[in-house]
Amino acid sequence: MQANDVRVLKSAAIPTFVVGVVAVLIAFLAAGGKGALGAAMGALLVGIFFSVSVVVVSYAARVSPQMMAIAAMVSYLVKVLAIMAVLSAFRDTTAWNTQAFAWSVVVCTLVWTGFEVRAFMKTKMLYVDPEAGVPGKGDA
């Protein structure tokens, strides 16, 4: 993983973890132990899915820019399908409060996405290769 990718991952994961802890506390106060468990499961789901996406896209970026774009699209599709499968599998669960789970997923997703965008905007990445030669000029 490149240093920029690690920075982006940390920039999104840390605030999401903090918001997840707050969500667990609020859910505990509102719905007891099952609420806290639901919020924790939602925050954990978001953290795992988004972290895996960043790692996959980062790895693909080392291969080529085209692979990075494909990896981003495929990881998004896999994430959506996996979340649908998880929601379907636990649709009728009584192990945790499903509303706390859902709100935790929504809030943590918004926090992760917002801080990931913020991290990318603050990252100083070259979009032009300064060492690339100009065709027809010199040794390029």
Side-chain angles (χ1 to χ4, degrees):
M1 231 176 152
Q2 298 177 8
N4 286 338
D5 297 326
V6 172
R7 200 172 307 120
V8 168
L9 184 61
K10 283 182 183 179
S11 295
I14 292 170
T16 303
F17 174 76
V18 171
V19 168
V21 169
V22 171
V24 168
L25 292 173
I26 291 171
F28 179 75
L29 294 174
K34 287 188 175 190
L37 181 60
M41 294 300 291
L44 184 66
L45 181 75
V46 169
I48 290 171
F49 279 26
F50 280 85
S51 295
V52 167
S53 256
V54 170
V55 170
V56 166
V57 171
S58 173
Y59 176 75
R62 290 191 298 173
V63 176
S64 76
Q66 293 82 6
M67 285 299 294
M68 182 180 79
I70 291 168
M73 289 186 283
V74 169
S75 71
Y76 177 77
L77 177 64
V78 168
K79 244 190 313 196
V80 169
L81 293 175
I83 286 176
M84 286 174 42
V86 168
L87 292 177
S88 177
F90 291 104
R91 177 181 350 171
D92 298 323
T93 189
T94 57
W96 60 71
N97 183 301
T98 53
Q99 280 192 326
F101 173 81
W103 279 109
S104 177
V105 167
V106 169
V107 170
C108 288
T109 298
L110 291 173
V111 169
W112 184 289
T113 304
F115 277 93
E116 191 174 42
V117 166
R118 180 180 180 269
F120 275 120
M121 296 204 41
K122 290 182 75 170
T123 300
K124 293 179 171 85
M125 292 178 26
L126 297 174
Y127 54 90
V128 175
D129 185 2
E131 297 177 12
V134 177
K137 301 233 181 186
D139 297 338

